Amino acid sequence: MAENININVHHITRVEGHGNIVVNVREGKIEELKLEITESPRFFEAFLRGRHISEAPHITSRICGICGVGHTLASIEAAEAAVGITPSEQTVLLRKLLNHGETIQSHVLHFYFLAAPDLFKAGSVFPLASSHPDVVHRALRMKKLANDLCIVTGGRQVHPISAVIGGFTRIPTEAELKDMRERLVEARADVDATVDLFAANPFPEFERETEFLALRSDDEYAFLYGKIVSTDGVEVDVPEYKKAVKEKVVDHSTAKHASSSRDSYMVGALARVSNNYDKLHPRAKEAAEKLGLKLPCYNPFMNNAAQVVEVAHCVEDSIRIIDELLSRGLKDEKPIPIEEGKPGQGVGAVEVPRGTLYHDYTVDEKGYLTDINCIIPTAQNLANIEADMYKMVPEVLDKSEEEITFLLEMLVRAYDPCISCSAHILTVKFVK
């Protein structure tokens, strides 16, 4: 057993953004353990102040190049709640379809391009293009399908332009939806092959009991709309999100840490499956069974298995939504206009690929933003990752420093962190 180790991973690879792992063990005891977040603050909340609320979805979409759809939808939800707009049923269905597109493309990006190289003991996806070309081709095919679903519903694959407050500026045509439906049905074979691939390459065994937080709806597997719930029994309405999400600042991170019922909690695919398993599509439940995902599951590496399960669910639910839209008949609805003279405050909560995203807006009587708060999923996971690392390190001290480093990096990657988006800063008061 190693008595002394000194790990300093400067910039973890295959994650979005910059973070460091620092672990010092002396005589078998942890002296220091940190997941340092070193990204510069983003200032989005600051420069949104004074902007008209109609600009917020397009501006906040730029917080993330992967979760641009999720930020757009959370922003729209918050804005509509603030100014008193209730979207039509067709708008809600199109938003759910758009969000499914982003969830599929982001999950495929992560479990094929960022996590799978760990399972195949490859440094990146590039060697897999030669050793496993069928796997890489399948990943690219699935990602293109998801990107095209975002283009059809949101106007483009990154930073959607047609989803706005009050509705959509462009409604997909019937022909476009029928084409997407046909391709989604064809994608079932790729989903099945993905399940088989990850079932044959099991994730590392590690467990630490924790709290899982996610949205939950009585009607469906919740991505948009619902209550905030946790496996510890938390249940609050979205406008009261601060009762469930308690943020704090730590010295070694430009992103805040978060807690709820205990010192840390987890959001993301595994948290959603843990709180909403009964709402999964039957094909997704079959995928979970093949992948060995049984609840309760306290292995954070299984978050990647849960991502595969959610892809199976989102493909099937996208087919269902398209069928419903086509059976209703597409209406050329115009976005509901924003009326001035309605000051207010509203909160939007959306399950984006990495977990629950919150936007909280306050607007004046002319519709200009006066106060903004955004809570990013990765920031909510940081304390939980560190807690996992504290439990894991003593359990793997019989391994070499190189093997321990690999496992810790793999653990961080299992959470699919989007570190750049998570970085915030305290309110700055200039002293003159």
Side-chain angles (χ1 to χ4, degrees):
M1 175 180 288
E3 291 290 317
N4 301 303
I5 62 170
N6 186 354
I7 294 172
N8 192 344
V9 179
H10 188 69
H11 293 176
I12 306 159
T13 58
R14 281 185 275 130
V15 298
E16 201 288 322
H18 294 151
N20 307 326
I21 296 173
V22 177
V23 178
N24 289 318
V25 175
R26 291 290 176 270
E27 298 179 354
K29 293 184 179 179
I30 297 173
E31 284 190 342
E32 183 179 30
L33 188 154
K34 293 185 293 188
L35 175 58
E36 294 178 333
I37 303 303
T38 57
E39 284 279 350
S40 299
R42 307 294 297 280
F43 299 112
F44 271 86
E45 289 134 318
F47 61 68
L48 272 171
R49 289 195 182 94
R51 306 301 293 255
H52 194 266
I53 198 167
S54 60
E55 298 178 289
H58 296 307
I59 294 173
T60 56
S61 172
R62 272 68 183 176
I63 291 176
C64 184
I66 301 172
C67 293
V69 167
H71 279 284
T72 298
L73 296 178
S75 179
I76 289 173
E77 269 192 31
E80 290 178 345
V83 300
I85 289 178
T86 302
S88 72
E89 292 181 354
Q90 175 176 281
T91 291
V92 171
L93 287 170
L94 287 171
R95 287 176 185 172
K96 289 177 180 177
L97 194 56
L98 175 60
N99 198 59
H100 280 346
E102 178 175 81
T103 301
I104 296 170
Q105 73 84 15
S106 178
H107 282 355
V108 169
L109 169 69
H110 183 253
F111 59 63
Y112 266 120
F113 294 90
L114 305 180
D118 288 329
L119 300 178
F120 290 105
K121 300 293 187 290
S124 73
V125 71
F126 294 109
L128 300 182
S130 299
S131 62
H132 299 76
D134 54 329
V135 172
V136 177
H137 286 157
R138 184 191 312 132
L140 291 171
R141 192 163 54 241
M142 295 175 74
K143 198 164 185 323
K144 177 168 174 47
L145 168 70
N147 286 343
D148 289 347
L149 186 57
C150 291
I151 292 171
V152 166
T153 51
R156 59 187 180 193
Q157 64 198 51
V158 180
H159 308 316
I161 53 173
S162 59
V164 297
I165 296 169
F168 283 80
T169 57
R170 179 188 179 277
I171 306 298
T173 67
E174 186 176 307
E176 287 172 334
L177 290 182
K178 285 181 176 177
D179 176 65
M180 286 308 311
R181 187 190 190 284
E182 186 176 334
R183 291 174 61 191
L184 286 161
V185 170
E186 291 173 352
R188 284 171 173 159
D190 283 339
V191 173
D192 291 343
T194 302
V195 173
D196 291 342
L197 174 71
F198 284 93
N201 292 277
F203 298 97
E205 293 184 3
F206 168 74
E207 283 194 348
R208 184 185 67 83
E209 187 181 347
T210 190
E211 181 179 16
F212 295 106
L213 211 78
L215 293 180
R216 179 173 170 85
S217 165
D218 291 337
D219 303 323
E220 61 186 0
Y221 189 90
F223 282 100
L224 304 179
Y225 312 110
K227 285 192 171 187
I228 303 162
V229 301
S230 88
T231 47
D232 280 7
V234 168
E235 183 175 332
V236 300
D237 293 325
V238 167
E240 299 179 315
Y241 69 100
K242 288 182 180 177
K243 292 181 179 177
V245 181
K246 299 158 189 169
E247 293 184 290
K248 68 176 181 180
V249 175
V250 295
D251 291 338
H252 58 282
S253 171
T254 51
K256 295 175 184 174
H257 282 199
S259 63
S260 191
S261 297
R262 36 178 121 180
D263 291 340
S264 69
Y265 63 86
M266 183 175 183
V267 294
L270 185 58
R272 287 189 290 266
V273 170
S274 297
N275 282 292
N276 298 284
Y277 183 86
D278 59 316
K279 303 295 184 185
L280 282 170
H281 188 277
R283 282 181 62 86
K285 289 181 180 176
E286 289 176 17
E289 186 171 343
K290 287 184 179 178
L291 289 160
L293 178 51
K294 297 178 182 177
L295 301 181
C297 175
Y298 297 115
N299 181 353
F301 292 102
M302 291 299 283
N303 187 53
N304 299 150
Q307 290 177 321
V308 177
V309 169
E310 285 197 332
V311 166
H313 175 85
C314 289
V315 166
E316 297 303 323
D317 201 49
S318 295
I319 294 170
R320 178 195 66 79
I321 291 172
I322 291 174
D323 285 344
E324 186 171 345
L325 285 166
L326 292 175
S327 67
R328 287 166 172 258
L330 292 165
K331 301 171 187 172
D332 187 21
E333 297 175 340
K334 304 302 178 189
I336 300 168
I338 302 168
E339 294 182 19
E340 289 190 2
K342 286 186 175 179
Q345 184 252 345
V347 182
V350 172
E351 286 293 340
V352 296
R354 290 156 193 80
T356 318
L357 166 68
Y358 302 93
H359 281 217
D360 180 352
Y361 298 161
T362 302
V363 297
D364 64 18
E365 68 279 1
K366 292 186 176 179
Y368 287 91
L369 289 155
T370 58
D371 195 20
I372 303 97
N373 186 29
C374 298
I375 301 180
I376 313 300
T378 292
Q380 296 172 65
N381 276 333
L382 293 174
N384 211 62
I385 299 173
E386 282 190 349
D388 283 348
M389 293 165 70
Y390 265 104
K391 182 167 189 296
M392 173 182 281
V393 168
E395 294 177 5
V396 296
L397 284 177
D398 58 333
K399 300 182 182 297
S400 69
E401 195 165 299
E402 183 180 18
E403 290 173 317
I404 296 171
T405 302
F406 174 77
L407 274 173
L408 291 174
E409 287 188 78
M410 192 174 175
L411 172 66
V412 174
R413 278 193 286 273
Y415 280 77
D416 190 9
C418 194
I419 294 172
S420 296
C421 305
S422 69
H424 287 230
I425 194 170
L426 294 168
T427 300
V428 179
K429 293 183 179 179
F430 294 96
V431 179
K432 297 181 179 178

